Amino acid sequence: MRVRKLTTFAALAVAASLSLTACNGDDVASGDSSSASSSGGAEQSGGQDTAGKDSGGEQPGPAGKDSAGSGSGSGQSGKGGKCRTDDLDITASDSTIDGDTDGTVAVTFKNGGADCGLSGFAGVDLKTSAGDISATRAGQGASPMTLKSGESVSFSISYPINDSGGSGVKVTSLVVTPPGETKSFTTEWPGGGSLPVTDGSGSSVKVHPIGSAGQGGPQ
């Protein structure tokens, strides 16, 4: 009986030991699994946060929008174009000096618009009883100049004085076309009432460069 009891006790002890070992193994495995799962979850969450930051930080704004906007403004030129007939107040006056062999008419352009450019010669035609007379150019054309808003510049027209005693060729009006323009301006002729009759070999009326009357430049 004693031997059986001892054997039975030993068997129970072994079984208890095995049970405790199994329970300890389950606890360790369960802890490792929980730790691994927690660590993996943290790493995954961290990866999403990092990816989100990288994606948001590296995304550029609309390419070239600011440059295009500023470039568009800087693409416009600050210089004015050529002076237009409609923007000019055109007047003519007799400026003949006593004793001169030729008569002189001064034509003035006053700029009533934005700053604009002038150069060369204006077109000049006289309406007469014998038909139109186109003035020929005399001298070198004026260098390019800027006529600012409100400024004036003048040029001169020279013509022969009729001292023949005859009626000559009666002048009725003056037609002026600014340089580079096609639209003309017609005004009264302020010079001598008539020109001497010529043989038709060439125009006796001369137009001088812009700035050739007065002080020679914009005033």
Side-chain angles (χ1 to χ4, degrees), residues 22-81:
C23 288
N24 289 339
D26 289 342
D27 290 341
V28 172
S30 176
D32 289 346
S33 175
S34 174
S35 173
S37 174
S38 175
S39 173
E43 287 177 2
Q44 185 177 7
S45 175
Q48 288 175 347
D49 291 343
T50 303
K53 289 177 183 177
D54 290 345
S55 174
E58 292 179 0
Q59 287 202 1
K65 182 177 181 182
D66 291 342
S67 297
S70 61
S72 148
S74 61
Q76 298 180 350
S77 175
K79 295 181 180 178

Side-chain angles (χ1 to χ4, degrees), residues 127-156:
K127 298 286 187 180
T128 75
S129 57
D132 293 351
I133 297 177
S134 295
T136 57
R137 298 174 177 180
Q140 297 294 320
S143 299
M145 67 180 72
T146 297
L147 187 63
K148 295 183 178 181
S149 180
E151 285 188 342
S152 299
V153 68
S154 301
F155 66 91
S156 60

Side-chain angles (χ1 to χ4, degrees), residues 108-119:
T108 300
F109 292 154
K110 183 174 182 179
N111 186 10
D115 296 359
C116 59
L118 284 173
S119 62

Side-chain angles (χ1 to χ4, degrees), residues 34-212:
S34 174
S35 173
S37 174
S38 175
S39 173
E43 287 177 2
Q44 185 177 7
S45 175
Q48 288 175 347
D49 291 343
T50 303
K53 289 177 183 177
D54 290 345
S55 174
E58 292 179 0
Q59 287 202 1
K65 182 177 181 182
D66 291 342
S67 297
S70 61
S72 148
S74 61
Q76 298 180 350
S77 175
K79 295 181 180 178
K82 66 182 179 181
C83 294
R84 300 288 184 179
T85 305
D86 289 340
D87 293 329
L88 297 173
D89 180 17
I90 303 175
T91 56
S93 60
D94 184 10
S95 60
T96 303
I97 298 175
D98 291 342
D100 284 355
T101 55
D102 285 338
T104 303
V105 166
V107 177
T108 300
F109 292 154
K110 183 174 182 179
N111 186 10
D115 296 359
C116 59
L118 284 173
S119 62
F121 295 86
V124 171
D125 295 283
L126 301 187
K127 298 286 187 180
T128 75
S129 57
D132 293 351
I133 297 177
S134 295
T136 57
R137 298 174 177 180
Q140 297 294 320
S143 299
M145 67 180 72
T146 297
L147 187 63
K148 295 183 178 181
S149 180
E151 285 188 342
S152 299
V153 68
S154 301
F155 66 91
S156 60
I157 302 168
S158 57
Y159 62 95
I161 296 174
N162 181 21
D163 55 7
S164 65
S167 60
V169 176
K170 184 178 180 181
V171 182
T172 57
S173 58
L174 168 65
V175 181
V176 177
T177 308
E181 268 283 66
T182 56
K183 186 174 183 179
S184 301
F185 177 82
T186 302
T187 186
E188 293 183 359
W189 171 248
S194 64
L195 304 176
V197 177
T198 63
D199 58 6
S201 59
S203 175
S204 55
V205 180
K206 310 291 183 185
V207 55
H208 301 271
I210 302 293
S212 60

